[in-house]
Amino acid sequence: MVDNFERFVSESTKLHQETLVEQIRISEDVNKYTTWFLGLSTAGVGLLIGRFESIVQKSWIGPGCIKLSLFTVGVLLFLSIALGVLHHYLSIKERNCARVLIAMFGAQRLIPFFKHPDYPKDDIPEDMHNRISRGELLNNEKIPKFKNTQEQAKSLRNYQSKVFAAQQICSGLSYVLFFLCSITK
């Protein structure tokens, strides 16, 4: 029985740790896409600055509206850059939360060796895997930290997806508007 419980806890925590490692990898992959949009937005700012006068003189849009339109393009590009930087910051925070959770899952793996009060006397309880996923085998003072870290990681992940979508929209709109402003008479 002791060997089965130790093996069960070990396999269960290993499964959770591997899931978090995969989440870190996914977060790093999404960051690569954010970096592409950062680069596109930065290049757009360079094009806008370098071609501003030429576009103002040759655009099919009237002289009163073209400067406002180009200013709008610039604002959208800078907003896209700011959202990309924010996404990178949030991604770093989320990965740090995942690393803390990996360490805490690892601490649960040691529980069988310290005669935790929930150490099963007979059979492994059916809900033991769920209890491990909620961090309930940790010391009582670490359980709130575990839950807070899980909630923080989840909220950061949700917020990141919104920031990334907003960055894509701002970058796309700025290039469409920039293209329309660049059409000559």
Side-chain angles (χ1 to χ4, degrees):
M1 175 57 214
V2 172
D3 290 341
N4 286 340
F5 180 67
E6 289 172 10
R7 191 171 341 158
F8 179 83
V9 171
S10 178
E11 290 299 317
S12 180
T13 54
K14 181 180 174 186
L15 176 67
H16 286 90
Q17 288 173 322
E18 289 172 354
T19 301
L20 288 167
V21 167
E22 184 64 19
Q23 184 60 44
I24 289 171
R25 190 190 64 72
I26 290 169
S27 179
E28 290 169 345
D29 288 346
V30 171
N31 253 355
K32 293 174 187 172
Y33 294 114
T34 304
T35 303
W36 276 99
F37 281 98
L38 273 169
L40 286 172
S41 298
T42 304
V45 169
L47 280 171
L48 181 64
I49 291 170
R51 308 238 329 126
F52 187 83
E53 286 300 320
S54 173
I55 293 172
V56 168
Q57 293 171 0
K58 297 178 183 177
S59 178
W60 65 279
I61 300 174
C65 292
I66 187 65
K67 287 184 180 180
L68 178 63
S69 298
L70 291 175
F71 177 75
T72 304
V73 168
V75 168
L76 287 171
L77 288 169
F78 279 113
L79 184 58
S80 176
I81 291 169
L83 289 168
V85 170
L86 177 61
H87 185 274
H88 277 273
Y89 171 74
L90 294 171
S91 178
I92 290 168
K93 284 186 70 168
E94 183 211 355
R95 288 191 305 248
N96 287 340
C97 287
R99 288 182 180 106
V100 168
L101 290 171
I102 288 170
M104 294 181 102
F105 277 119
Q108 287 187 112
R109 188 178 286 189
L110 301 174
I111 296 303
F113 303 105
F114 294 107
K115 306 300 181 219
H116 191 274
D118 292 334
Y119 193 88
K121 306 292 186 255
D122 301 325
D123 291 331
I124 299 171
E126 288 183 25
D127 70 335
M128 186 57 73
H129 182 72
N130 291 334
R131 293 178 66 201
I132 290 170
S133 70
R134 293 188 301 260
E136 292 178 2
L137 296 185
L138 292 168
N139 297 334
N140 286 336
E141 65 271 1
K142 291 189 179 185
I143 292 174
K145 179 181 179 182
F146 183 88
K147 290 181 180 180
N148 288 340
T149 305
Q150 269 188 326
E151 290 171 10
Q152 183 181 13
K154 183 179 178 181
S155 68
L156 285 168
R157 201 169 19 260
N158 291 338
Y159 191 46
Q160 279 181 72
S161 65
K162 293 174 185 170
V163 168
F164 184 48
Q167 180 195 24
Q168 289 175 319
I169 290 169
C170 287
S171 183
L173 284 176
S174 66
Y175 268 94
V176 168
L177 185 57
F178 193 38
F179 173 74
L180 292 175
C181 292
S182 298
I183 297 173
T184 58
K185 299 176 194 178

Short mmCIF file of all heavy atoms in Angstrom, two decimals, residues 36-58:
data_model
loop_
_atom_site.label_atom_id
_atom_site.label_comp_id
_atom_site.label_asym_id
_atom_site.label_seq_id
_atom_site.Cartn_x
_atom_site.Cartn_y
_atom_site.Cartn_z
N TRP A 36 6.48 39.37 -33.52
CA TRP A 36 6.27 39.69 -34.93
C TRP A 36 5.43 40.96 -35.09
O TRP A 36 5.74 41.84 -35.89
CB TRP A 36 5.58 38.54 -35.66
CG TRP A 36 6.55 37.49 -36.12
CD1 TRP A 36 6.83 36.30 -35.50
CD2 TRP A 36 7.36 37.53 -37.28
NE1 TRP A 36 7.76 35.61 -36.22
CE2 TRP A 36 8.12 36.34 -37.31
CE3 TRP A 36 7.53 38.46 -38.30
CZ2 TRP A 36 9.03 36.07 -38.32
CZ3 TRP A 36 8.44 38.18 -39.31
CH2 TRP A 36 9.17 37.00 -39.31
N PHE A 37 4.37 41.06 -34.31
CA PHE A 37 3.53 42.25 -34.40
C PHE A 37 4.24 43.48 -33.86
O PHE A 37 4.03 44.59 -34.36
CB PHE A 37 2.19 42.02 -33.69
CG PHE A 37 1.23 41.23 -34.52
CD1 PHE A 37 1.09 39.87 -34.32
CD2 PHE A 37 0.48 41.83 -35.51
CE1 PHE A 37 0.22 39.12 -35.10
CE2 PHE A 37 -0.39 41.10 -36.30
CZ PHE A 37 -0.52 39.74 -36.09
N LEU A 38 5.10 43.29 -32.86
CA LEU A 38 5.93 44.41 -32.40
C LEU A 38 6.83 44.90 -33.53
O LEU A 38 6.97 46.12 -33.75
CB LEU A 38 6.78 43.98 -31.20
CG LEU A 38 6.18 44.10 -29.83
CD1 LEU A 38 7.03 43.38 -28.79
CD2 LEU A 38 6.00 45.54 -29.45
N GLY A 39 7.44 43.97 -34.23
CA GLY A 39 8.31 44.33 -35.35
C GLY A 39 7.56 45.03 -36.47
O GLY A 39 8.03 46.03 -37.02
N LEU A 40 6.39 44.50 -36.81
CA LEU A 40 5.58 45.13 -37.86
C LEU A 40 5.15 46.54 -37.47
O LEU A 40 5.17 47.46 -38.29
CB LEU A 40 4.33 44.28 -38.15
CG LEU A 40 4.54 42.99 -38.93
CD1 LEU A 40 3.25 42.17 -38.97
CD2 LEU A 40 5.01 43.31 -40.34
N SER A 41 4.78 46.72 -36.22
CA SER A 41 4.35 48.04 -35.76
C SER A 41 5.52 49.02 -35.73
O SER A 41 5.37 50.18 -36.10
CB SER A 41 3.72 47.94 -34.37
OG SER A 41 2.57 47.13 -34.43
N THR A 42 6.68 48.54 -35.31
CA THR A 42 7.86 49.40 -35.29
C THR A 42 8.26 49.79 -36.72
O THR A 42 8.60 50.95 -36.98
CB THR A 42 9.03 48.68 -34.58
OG1 THR A 42 8.60 48.31 -33.27
CG2 THR A 42 10.24 49.58 -34.47
N ALA A 43 8.20 48.84 -37.64
CA ALA A 43 8.50 49.14 -39.04
C ALA A 43 7.48 50.14 -39.59
O ALA A 43 7.84 51.05 -40.36
CB ALA A 43 8.49 47.86 -39.86
N GLY A 44 6.23 49.99 -39.19
CA GLY A 44 5.20 50.93 -39.63
C GLY A 44 5.46 52.35 -39.15
O GLY A 44 5.26 53.31 -39.89
N VAL A 45 5.95 52.48 -37.91
CA VAL A 45 6.29 53.81 -37.40
C VAL A 45 7.42 54.40 -38.23
O VAL A 45 7.39 55.59 -38.60
CB VAL A 45 6.67 53.74 -35.89
CG1 VAL A 45 7.29 55.04 -35.42
CG2 VAL A 45 5.46 53.40 -35.05
N GLY A 46 8.42 53.57 -38.54
CA GLY A 46 9.53 54.05 -39.38
C GLY A 46 9.06 54.49 -40.76
O GLY A 46 9.49 55.54 -41.26
N LEU A 47 8.19 53.71 -41.38
CA LEU A 47 7.63 54.09 -42.69
C LEU A 47 6.81 55.38 -42.58
O LEU A 47 6.90 56.24 -43.46
CB LEU A 47 6.74 52.97 -43.22
CG LEU A 47 7.41 51.80 -43.89
CD1 LEU A 47 6.40 50.69 -44.16
CD2 LEU A 47 8.07 52.23 -45.17
N LEU A 48 6.03 55.47 -41.55
CA LEU A 48 5.18 56.65 -41.37
C LEU A 48 6.03 57.91 -41.23
O LEU A 48 5.75 58.93 -41.87
CB LEU A 48 4.28 56.47 -40.15
CG LEU A 48 3.32 57.61 -39.83
CD1 LEU A 48 2.31 57.78 -40.96
CD2 LEU A 48 2.61 57.35 -38.53
N ILE A 49 7.06 57.84 -40.42
CA ILE A 49 7.92 59.01 -40.21
C ILE A 49 8.68 59.34 -41.50
O ILE A 49 8.76 60.51 -41.90
CB ILE A 49 8.89 58.77 -39.04
CG1 ILE A 49 8.10 58.73 -37.73
CG2 ILE A 49 9.97 59.84 -38.98
CD1 ILE A 49 8.90 58.28 -36.53
N GLY A 50 9.21 58.32 -42.14
CA GLY A 50 10.01 58.55 -43.35
C GLY A 50 9.21 59.03 -44.54
O GLY A 50 9.74 59.75 -45.39
N ARG A 51 7.95 58.66 -44.64
CA ARG A 51 7.16 58.99 -45.82
C ARG A 51 6.03 59.98 -45.52
O ARG A 51 5.18 60.22 -46.38
CB ARG A 51 6.57 57.70 -46.39
CG ARG A 51 7.59 56.61 -46.62
CD ARG A 51 7.76 56.05 -47.96
NE ARG A 51 6.61 56.02 -48.80
CZ ARG A 51 6.59 56.55 -50.03
NH1 ARG A 51 7.64 57.11 -50.51
NH2 ARG A 51 5.51 56.47 -50.76
N PHE A 52 6.04 60.58 -44.36
CA PHE A 52 4.94 61.45 -43.94
C PHE A 52 4.70 62.58 -44.95
O PHE A 52 3.58 62.75 -45.44
CB PHE A 52 5.23 62.02 -42.54
CG PHE A 52 4.09 62.80 -41.97
CD1 PHE A 52 3.05 62.15 -41.33
CD2 PHE A 52 4.04 64.18 -42.09
CE1 PHE A 52 1.99 62.85 -40.80
CE2 PHE A 52 2.98 64.89 -41.56
CZ PHE A 52 1.95 64.24 -40.92
N GLU A 53 5.72 63.37 -45.25
CA GLU A 53 5.56 64.52 -46.15
C GLU A 53 5.14 64.09 -47.55
O GLU A 53 4.28 64.72 -48.17
CB GLU A 53 6.84 65.35 -46.20
CG GLU A 53 7.08 66.18 -44.96
CD GLU A 53 5.96 67.17 -44.69
OE1 GLU A 53 5.42 67.79 -45.64
OE2 GLU A 53 5.59 67.32 -43.50
N SER A 54 5.73 63.02 -48.03
CA SER A 54 5.40 62.53 -49.37
C SER A 54 3.94 62.10 -49.44
O SER A 54 3.24 62.40 -50.43
CB SER A 54 6.32 61.36 -49.72
OG SER A 54 5.93 60.77 -50.93
N ILE A 55 3.48 61.43 -48.43
CA ILE A 55 2.08 60.98 -48.40
C ILE A 55 1.14 62.17 -48.31
O ILE A 55 0.11 62.22 -49.00
CB ILE A 55 1.85 59.98 -47.24
CG1 ILE A 55 2.62 58.69 -47.50
CG2 ILE A 55 0.36 59.68 -47.07
CD1 ILE A 55 2.62 57.73 -46.34
N VAL A 56 1.48 63.16 -47.46
CA VAL A 56 0.63 64.35 -47.32
C VAL A 56 0.49 65.06 -48.66
O VAL A 56 -0.61 65.51 -49.03
CB VAL A 56 1.20 65.31 -46.24
CG1 VAL A 56 0.51 66.66 -46.28
CG2 VAL A 56 1.05 64.69 -44.85
N GLN A 57 1.54 65.17 -49.45
CA GLN A 57 1.52 65.89 -50.72
C GLN A 57 0.81 65.12 -51.83
O GLN A 57 0.16 65.71 -52.68
CB GLN A 57 2.95 66.22 -51.17
CG GLN A 57 3.64 67.21 -50.27
CD GLN A 57 5.12 67.35 -50.61
OE1 GLN A 57 5.63 66.71 -51.52
NE2 GLN A 57 5.80 68.21 -49.86
N LYS A 58 0.92 63.79 -51.83
CA LYS A 58 0.44 63.01 -52.97
C LYS A 58 -0.85 62.22 -52.71
O LYS A 58 -1.39 61.62 -53.64
CB LYS A 58 1.52 62.03 -53.42
CG LYS A 58 2.78 62.70 -53.91
CD LYS A 58 3.82 61.68 -54.29
CE LYS A 58 5.11 62.36 -54.70
NZ LYS A 58 6.15 61.38 -54.99
#
